[in-house]
Amino acid sequence: MSTQMERAKNGVITTEMRTVADKEGLSSEEIRLRVTAGSIVIPANHNHTSLSPEGVGLGLKTKINVNLGISPECANLESELAKVRMALDMKAEAIMDLSNYGKTIEFRHRLIEMSPAMIGSVPMYDALGYLDKKLEDITPQEFLAVVEQHARDGVDFVTIHAGINKETAQHFRQTSRVTNIVSRGGSLLYAWMELTGQENPFYEYFDDLLDICTKYDVTISLGDACRPGSIADATDGAQISELIVMGELTQRAWRRNVQVMIEGPGHVPLHEVVTNVQLAKKLCHGAPFYILGPLVTDIAPGYDHITSAIGGALAASAGADFLCYVTPAEHLRLPTLDDVREGIVAVKLAAHAGDIAKGIPGAAEWDRKMSQARQDLNWEAMFGLALDRGKPERYRKESSPEHQDSCTMCGEMCSMRLMNRIMDK
């Protein structure tokens, strides 16, 4: 079977393109043209039969991703599946399986079977446990075999840190960083390169990786191994040198009709967020930009869902296409169910704020309906329009006013109530 990009280039409008067009309110032909150009991707593995396809990229609604997965410290498969169900209930468009321990295949199979959302993974995380080898004993062919296992299972996109080659690593060594390499996959590959003296296998054997992606129509999400882990390290030489390599790999993938996303930085001061989006779009030829956060300050452990939402809203307004959620537990622990909910709400707020700024059709209309419901003092309509209905409904019940056409904040001095009475005369 051919890939979405190959069929788009051949003038074919696929079922997935039609589905995306219907969701976005655009023509199928416009979707096809943007898939051809690489400015949008439709991650849709042939083996993910429960998928409801989504488009990510230029002119489309900003999508969100939720990270989940089992680890050595928290290997409870059922608790992670509960988070999956919550993410799906809250309409997350993507879930990334970051499992790195235990029943990774079982978890991935159940996730893909139940999920209409697109599924991503980082095969590098799974390699050590899957192969049961020391890092330095793993061969390039074995790394690729793990990628193919994920693709065969039905993963729609894979994060591959192919941009940290020997040249990029040299730039990193010459850069005095506060937090070195904070990407888990990137640090593993850098360590493998240092231990073996070999080139990054995903860079050296990139054509073999493209063979796998072509076979299953898996989208490559080019991971940013050198993303900054502190605002002091943002937009430095290591990050930019890797971004240049990612741009070269993007064009190589497109020539093979493999769809590509570019992953973006983690910690970026507010005044550099727009610059980072523009650099990624320019150096990577307009490929969709998938960004973690960015977190605009380093001082708020326990509240990083807020710091990332600030950066995410600005990034989305500047053209970022896909936001990865950050939970209050970031840097501290594996997130609980409540942490996941808080993270999803924060990132959805950021995505929606960005969509308003980008002029995405229908985005501002949602806000207009909420404003009208507020003016009408229509509480049920407000709850129905709320991003997360449960919390405002609970607040209203916990503090019930004497008059139902007001709240306990203003009571009889409610401006909406007063203006409705005066304007209705």
Side-chain angles (χ1 to χ4, degrees), residues 219-236:
T219 298
I220 293 180
S221 188
L222 287 171
D224 50 339
C226 293
R227 71 171 181 263
S230 61
I231 62 170
D233 296 339
T235 328
D236 68 359

Side-chain angles (χ1 to χ4, degrees), residues 140-425:
Q141 290 70 34
E142 287 173 326
F143 280 127
L144 290 167
V146 176
V147 176
E148 179 143 24
Q149 178 64 57
H150 283 226
R152 188 183 303 115
D153 290 340
V155 166
D156 302 297
F157 63 99
V158 288
T159 292
I160 302 292
H161 299 89
I164 183 166
N165 59 11
K166 285 188 173 182
E167 184 177 353
T168 305
Q170 182 63 25
H171 280 286
F172 160 69
R173 284 190 289 271
Q174 293 172 347
T175 304
S176 178
R177 278 190 157 194
V178 175
T179 49
N180 295 317
I181 295 177
V182 299
S183 159
R184 194 192 322 174
S187 65
L188 286 168
L189 276 168
Y190 179 80
W192 185 89
M193 292 164 65
E194 291 291 298
L195 290 167
T196 65
Q198 298 183 54
E199 180 59 277
N200 179 342
F202 295 119
Y203 179 80
E204 184 173 2
Y205 297 97
F206 193 68
D207 286 334
D208 294 332
L209 176 66
L210 295 178
D211 288 340
I212 296 169
C213 294
T214 300
K215 181 177 179 181
Y216 300 93
D217 197 5
V218 172
T219 298
I220 293 180
S221 188
L222 287 171
D224 50 339
C226 293
R227 71 171 181 263
S230 61
I231 62 170
D233 296 339
T235 328
D236 68 359
Q239 180 190 335
I240 302 306
S241 65
E242 182 182 32
L243 199 56
I244 292 169
V245 176
M246 291 159 75
E248 296 168 355
L249 294 174
T250 296
Q251 293 185 310
R252 286 177 61 183
W254 285 347
R255 287 194 289 269
R256 293 284 305 278
N257 298 318
V258 173
Q259 300 181 102
V260 177
M261 295 187 288
I262 305 300
E263 296 191 10
H267 293 241
V268 180
L270 196 64
H271 63 286
E272 293 183 15
V273 171
V274 173
T275 298
N276 271 263
V277 176
Q278 292 171 339
L279 279 170
K281 288 285 186 175
K282 180 69 174 179
L283 294 176
C284 297
H285 319 289
F289 192 34
Y290 171 28
I291 196 162
L292 174 69
L295 284 75
V296 295
T297 178
D298 302 334
I299 64 167
Y303 299 93
D304 278 335
H305 60 311
I306 297 174
T307 61
S308 69
I310 294 168
L314 184 54
S317 72
D321 307 289
F322 193 17
L323 303 181
C324 184
Y325 89 153
V326 173
T327 77
E330 185 76 8
H331 302 114
L332 300 172
R333 69 176 187 196
L334 194 74
T336 65
L337 203 60
D338 286 342
D339 293 332
V340 170
R341 177 180 289 279
E342 291 293 313
I344 292 174
V345 170
V347 74
K348 286 177 76 72
L349 282 170
H352 181 65
D355 285 349
I356 293 171
K358 285 188 285 195
I360 298 298
E365 183 59 26
W366 184 4
D367 293 71
R368 183 179 180 85
K369 289 178 180 177
M370 176 63 85
S371 296
Q372 188 62 58
R374 283 176 171 154
Q375 185 61 59
D376 295 340
L377 295 168
N378 186 337
W379 303 101
E380 186 58 34
M382 286 185 244
F383 299 149
L385 289 164
L387 186 65
D388 178 23
R389 177 183 181 119
K391 192 171 187 177
E393 197 167 35
R394 174 169 56 83
Y395 277 17
R396 175 76 177 169
K397 288 179 179 178
E398 288 175 351
S399 186
S400 182
E402 179 180 356
H403 302 284
Q404 289 304 304
D405 58 349
S406 65
C407 75
T408 55
M409 178 71 179
C410 298
E412 292 185 359
M413 294 179 63
C414 172
S415 60
M416 300 291 192
R417 183 172 181 249
L418 174 62
M419 292 306 297
N420 286 344
R421 191 177 72 195
I422 299 299
M423 299 295 287
D424 287 345
K425 280 188 176 181

